[in-house]
Amino acid sequence: MARASGCSVATVSRVLAGTRPVGPEIARRVREAAESLGYRPNQVARALRSRSTGTIGLVLPQITNPFFPSLVREVEHALHAEGRAVLLADCDDDPTIEAARITALLDRQVDALLVIPVDERHSRAAVAAAVAQVPLVLLDRGCGPGIADSVATDNTVGMTLVLDHLAATGRRRPCFIGAAGTDSAAVERLAAYEAGAGALDPEAPGRVELGDFSLEWGRAAVDRILPSRPDAVVCANDLIAVGALQRLRQLGVDVPGEIAVTGFDDIPMADLADPALTTVRQPVRELAAEAAHLLGHRLAEQKDGPRRSVRLAPELVVRASSAPRAASAPDPGTTRTAEEDQ
Amino acid sequence: MARASGCSVATVSRVLAGTRPVGPEIARRVREAAESLGYRPNQVARALRSRSTGTIGLVLPQITNPFFPSLVREVEHALHAEGRAVLLADCDDDPTIEAARITALLDRQVDALLVIPVDERHSRAAVAAAVAQVPLVLLDRGCGPGIADSVATDNTVGMTLVLDHLAATGRRRPCFIGAAGTDSAAVERLAAYEAGAGALDPEAPGRVELGDFSLEWGRAAVDRILPSRPDAVVCANDLIAVGALQRLRQLGVDVPGEIAVTGFDDIPMADLADPALTTVRQPVRELAAEAAHLLGHRLAEQKDGPRRSVRLAPELVVRASSAPRAASAPDPGTTRTAEEDQ
DNA sequence: GTGAAAGCGCTAACAC
DNA sequence: GTGTTAGCGCTTTCAC
């Protein structure tokens, strides 16, 4: 390669990396030679020398969780646009596996880590250890206070959007089906419901059932919540909401005629449920972009800036499951977004 | 590290890699030193020297396609179990992006590539170019004849299972909603339907509507197929089937009372549809394991063995959407698998 | 069985 | 501006 262009390897390196100015004539020769020889620089050697692999580790609980694929997609695209590559680690929802995967990624000299922790508490040690070695940003879920940079959806805003919408469409007796976990999604969504539901009905903050983030729990919780005669079921995520929808249908309850149902996340299934589910759409692309930005910042600047915690506001997606009682349920194919409401 | 254990770097390398016999006493000292220093070998340097990164590129059309997350999960776990890591490349269903991603992975010196091609025809050039550089196995979808090793589900077996099941449960007027593409899934599933449906009804092979693999097409196709008064709608994948289910419900058609509906793939949504969808479950774990095995084979043996093409038989999952007409629709939560039928 | 030394392909000092 | 040279951290001959 150096021979072919009639100059030294150093010059070749400079032309390709653009590190230092090079004469226009010789630069052209180098580029031509690279072209005709089909030369591709070896990223491994480059990484060894420059101590930077251009590789980011993405650690997530379970790729089969329906909320993650779109997030992974956006992260992959955002990072690739910066010329970085993504090493994927699926943890099977197990903090032990998570710790092992993080170690494996660190051994491979990833430049940084993007972690969606499995568990608020049990992931902390592994994350803390990793933070000491490379820039790390927590995505979507927290992992203890101020342990690392983090990017997540603002759950409080989301829940407020839901409650405001229910109030505006005439619902007065909401209830909440949530999750008992200690993670930010469970805690913040519950807190926001309790804080906001009182405006609709002083009793509403008390109508709460806590289980986990599953379809099964959604189905089971309906039976426990129904005796309180709610006119709206606010669910902590879409899985719970779809489960609730299934059980309500089974019991012959009219949604949205008798009861409105809302979810959170806007997973693909939300649009396909019958009736289509009103929910809160997380700003997935922006979450990914912000995470990539934070990583870039940590990689460029000195490693010791103050911890940043970014919260992004979600968007309400109004669908059939919360249509006002006056109107009959519209065609399931029809959806309106928050913008269109304005 | 060499200093700490009082021997040479070569010996340290030998102990840790187990390449050559080392005296037991000194081996112990090395291991102790490694332990106490928290020594982790630098995989990048190792890769540069040994010309093997232990990294596999996984290239797929779109992680948001509901069939892929479980496949990605199994691939990741199978590969990680062998000490390899997965570089993920999402192609946004675009062959141009696919080609770019493949090049980027090759530049990073992946040991091999696992590719789910975007398009039977338009992915061929990029795949062929990659095959010349590293071991490559095609997963789930083909990409022209004999271009590389491949692992996929046996679509013919799957469709036969469906038709046999429909025959056994008393259906006599099946029809088919498929896709017009040239990919193996579209072609083989259609061919298998046409070959097998004649046994139920000589007219059946002619009752075919071809569109794409989408929910929307499933909805639209129902209107075109209904005039032929079918008692079973065989769909080329689950997305089509769920769309068909939605439209049939909208039209007030009783499923499975009047018409049975079947899908293909067993995506998560299949179990959640109402009624739950009878479908063909692809052997995802085995697909991933076989792909990993093939890769291992190519990496270990000489690169020029004969091309291998592995087809794995899928499994029928019987749910409510194809229940015999005599019985009323069972509880949506109840599912039976093919094994339980035997 | 163990150590010394030569590189893997590249980049970054340092001369010129 | 450009060439020369010394490594990045490891594995692997090759001597002993």
Side-chain angles (χ1 to χ4, degrees), chain A residues 63-89:
Chain A
I63 183 70
T64 50
N65 176 326
F67 174 63
F68 293 141
S70 62
L71 193 54
V72 169
R73 176 176 179 281
E74 297 300 339
V75 166
E76 199 271 352
H77 286 263
L79 257 20
H80 190 90
E82 302 177 348
R84 306 189 205 278
V86 174
L87 272 173
L88 182 74

Side-chain angles (χ1 to χ4, degrees), chain A residues 35-283:
Chain A
E35 183 77 24
S36 72
L37 297 194
Y39 171 78
R40 314 254 57 190
N42 182 323
Q43 300 293 102
V44 173
R46 175 181 299 210
L48 180 59
R49 181 64 237 233
S50 59
R51 332 192 67 64
S52 155
T53 55
T55 291
I56 307 290
L58 176 58
V59 182
L60 46 71
Q62 271 252 46
I63 183 70
T64 50
N65 176 326
F67 174 63
F68 293 141
S70 62
L71 193 54
V72 169
R73 176 176 179 281
E74 297 300 339
V75 166
E76 199 271 352
H77 286 263
L79 257 20
H80 190 90
E82 302 177 348
R84 306 189 205 278
V86 174
L87 272 173
L88 182 74
D90 179 292
C91 303
D92 217 4
D93 265 334
D94 179 343
T96 311
I97 297 185
E98 182 178 53
R101 289 289 198 275
I102 289 179
T103 306
L105 290 173
L106 257 18
D107 285 352
R108 287 182 188 279
Q109 311 292 122
V110 291
D111 286 349
L113 244 23
L114 223 44
V115 180
I116 308 176
V118 166
D119 185 276
E120 180 98 18
R121 262 200 303 274
H122 300 101
S123 298
R124 206 171 306 175
V127 168
V131 165
Q133 306 217 33
V134 293
L136 183 153
V137 359
L138 258 17
L139 187 54
D140 182 57
R141 304 183 181 180
C143 188
I147 191 175
D149 290 332
S150 70
V151 182
T153 294
D154 193 322
N155 290 305
T156 306
V157 167
M159 197 47 78
T160 305
L161 287 172
V162 167
L163 291 171
D164 288 354
H165 165 67
L166 291 175
T169 51
R171 307 289 170 169
R172 289 293 173 271
R173 288 184 59 81
C175 68
F176 183 77
I177 306 181
T182 56
D183 57 293
S184 52
V187 171
E188 294 175 8
R189 292 174 194 179
L190 169 62
Y193 169 81
E194 289 177 331
L200 290 184
D201 166 11
E203 305 284 301
R207 283 193 295 273
V208 162
E209 292 289 338
L210 265 25
D212 57 34
F213 281 121
S214 74
L215 218 97
E216 292 68 34
W217 165 237
R219 284 197 280 254
V222 163
D223 294 320
R224 309 174 58 158
I225 213 87
L226 232 35
S228 66
R229 314 295 309 162
D231 65 0
V233 178
V234 177
C235 302
N237 79 350
D238 287 347
L239 247 28
I240 293 176
V242 170
L245 240 29
Q246 289 183 341
R247 182 66 183 144
L248 287 169
R249 166 197 294 280
Q250 208 171 39
L251 296 173
V253 176
D254 177 23
V255 177
E258 288 178 61
I259 299 183
V261 174
T262 67
F264 208 112
D265 290 346
D266 196 29
I267 63 178
M269 202 187 300
D271 191 31
L272 272 22
D274 184 25
L277 187 65
T278 290
T279 189
V280 175
R281 177 180 299 156
Q282 298 206 38

Side-chain angles (χ1 to χ4, degrees), chain B residues 67 115-121 124 138-145 150-157 159 176 178-193 213 236-237 264-265 282 309-311:
Chain B
F67 174 63
V115 181
I116 307 177
V118 166
D119 184 275
E120 179 98 18
R121 262 200 303 273
R124 206 171 307 175
L138 258 16
L139 188 54
D140 183 54
R141 303 182 181 181
C143 188
S150 71
V151 182
T153 293
D154 193 322
N155 289 305
T156 306
V157 167
M159 198 46 78
F176 183 76
T182 57
D183 57 293
S184 52
V187 172
E188 296 175 7
R189 291 174 194 180
L190 169 62
Y193 169 80
F213 282 119
N237 80 349
F264 208 112
D265 289 348
Q282 298 207 38
S309 172
V310 178
R311 289 304 191 123

